[in-house]
Amino acid sequence: MRVAKRLPSPDRYTGIFFLTISALLFWACMNIKEFAAIGVGSAFVPRLTAGLLLVVGLALLIDSWRQPRAAEAETTESQQTTSSGLVGLPAVAASVISMVIYMALLDPLGFLPASALYGFAQMLILAKDAKRAYLKFALIAALPATCFYYLFVNLFDISLPAGILG
């Protein structure tokens, strides 16, 4: 009896990709000159992005090594049952369309409502039909939008479009 060779999880490749991009971004922002007069330096956002990519890459790698059998079982199960949710190229197209709509609604609606709606729409696109929890999605979409609005307006003193709320 022949034992099937297990291929590495796609999450492992994605994690390695994110770690590589994170390292390159962090290395690239080492040469950004800081201006002390403005408080937060110009390298802050690139370093923050590099740090977030590092966290996502590590989480993907750890998850791909921790649960390889669960991922294989889920892949086999998902191949057996057909899902009516968006998968593959239609999901990518829907994500791009939702980003364009987000950018169009940013000025008229404002940052907070437009960002919450975009987050909610993106969760609907990425979630499988059986796992949709609309109230949870709405709360999860509104919380980061509110936190980012507070962070940028009050801490960084950056004005964002107020729209219908302002």
Side-chain angles (χ1 to χ4, degrees), residues 4-122:
K5 188 168 104 174
R6 188 171 22 142
L7 296 174
S9 166
D11 286 346
R12 191 168 298 166
Y13 295 123
T14 307
I16 292 169
F17 175 75
F18 279 158
L19 288 176
T20 305
I21 295 297
S22 171
L24 289 173
L25 183 60
F26 191 75
W27 178 73
C29 72
M30 296 299 283
N31 295 328
I32 296 176
K33 293 180 181 164
E34 299 287 335
F35 299 103
I38 60 173
V40 176
S42 53
F44 174 74
V45 172
R47 286 182 184 155
L48 178 66
T49 305
L52 292 174
L53 285 173
L54 176 77
V55 169
V56 169
L58 287 174
L60 285 170
L61 279 176
I62 290 169
D63 191 50
S64 70
W65 274 311
R66 220 178 75 208
Q67 300 175 359
R69 288 190 179 98
E72 288 174 4
E74 184 178 310
T75 303
T76 330
E77 182 181 312
S78 67
Q79 288 172 350
Q80 292 173 354
T81 61
T82 58
S83 172
S84 60
L86 295 175
V87 181
L89 192 57
V92 171
S95 293
V96 170
I97 291 168
S98 67
M99 284 183 224
V100 170
I101 293 170
Y102 170 67
M103 288 187 293
L105 293 177
L106 196 57
D107 277 334
L109 286 182
F111 177 82
L112 202 58
S115 297
L117 284 173
Y118 170 72
F120 183 76
Q122 196 63 44

Side-chain angles (χ1 to χ4, degrees), residues 100-162:
V100 170
I101 293 170
Y102 170 67
M103 288 187 293
L105 293 177
L106 196 57
D107 277 334
L109 286 182
F111 177 82
L112 202 58
S115 297
L117 284 173
Y118 170 72
F120 183 76
Q122 196 63 44
M123 283 184 246
L124 290 178
I125 291 168
L126 296 175
K128 294 181 179 161
D129 287 340
K131 295 184 180 179
R132 290 188 178 184
Y134 297 108
L135 182 60
K136 186 189 326 182
F137 287 175
L139 291 174
I140 292 172
L143 184 64
T146 306
C147 290
F148 284 129
Y149 185 81
Y150 178 81
L151 180 75
F152 280 98
V153 171
N154 295 327
L155 290 169
F156 298 144
D157 201 28
I158 297 173
S159 62
L160 295 173

